[in-house]
Amino acid sequence: MAAFLPVELFVQIFSLASVRDIVRCWTLSIHASTVLKKVLSDRIDSLMRPYARDGKTAELRSLLRTVEGMITGSTALKCLLGDVDWRPTDLDIVVPEGRSDVSLSLS
């Protein structure tokens, strides 16, 4: 499928899809899975950007990975649903017990 579409168009089409549809298409090819991984990464970054220092989501992603944190709530729901008419107003993060020191890093 990707051989017939420019990558930019492929990305734009799947940026509107739900995660469920993206997962269904993930196994089409190695190329498709690479493009779809970028689509999901871009979606997560766009939702995290308002809450990241200077809009740099890499630092926030790294911090979440380090402490095994997870984004939950309306931001996670927006990521799963894809193109819906609302935008989350906060970023809910859950960290394992004993890792509350992370909340200080995010303030």
Side-chain angles (χ1 to χ4, degrees):
M1 171 164 53
F4 301 112
L5 293 174
V7 172
E8 297 80 17
L9 184 57
F10 193 69
V11 168
Q12 192 164 10
I13 290 168
F14 278 98
S15 69
L16 303 174
S18 70
V19 170
R20 182 180 189 183
D21 292 335
I22 290 172
V23 168
R24 286 180 178 159
C25 295
W26 198 275
T27 58
L28 290 175
S29 69
I30 292 171
H31 178 71
S33 66
T34 301
V35 172
L36 294 172
K37 184 176 179 180
K38 180 179 175 12
V39 167
L40 287 176
S41 181
D42 289 351
R43 185 180 294 176
I44 293 166
D45 281 349
S46 74
L47 292 168
M48 288 174 39
R49 195 166 291 115
Y51 308 101
R53 289 190 182 122
D54 301 321
K56 296 178 183 170
T57 58
E59 181 183 341
L60 181 53
R61 278 177 178 257
S62 175
L63 181 61
L64 287 171
R65 253 189 306 278
T66 300
V67 300
E68 299 174 343
M70 217 167 81
I71 296 173
T72 63
S74 59
T75 302
L77 183 60
K78 170 71 174 175
C79 184
L80 290 172
L81 295 177
D83 189 35
V84 291
D85 291 338
W86 53 268
R87 188 142 185 96
T89 57
D90 63 354
L91 183 67
D92 300 318
I93 295 175
V94 176
V95 295
E97 189 173 349
R99 300 306 302 255
S100 60
D101 55 316
V102 149
S103 62
L104 298 175
S105 301
L106 294 173
S107 348

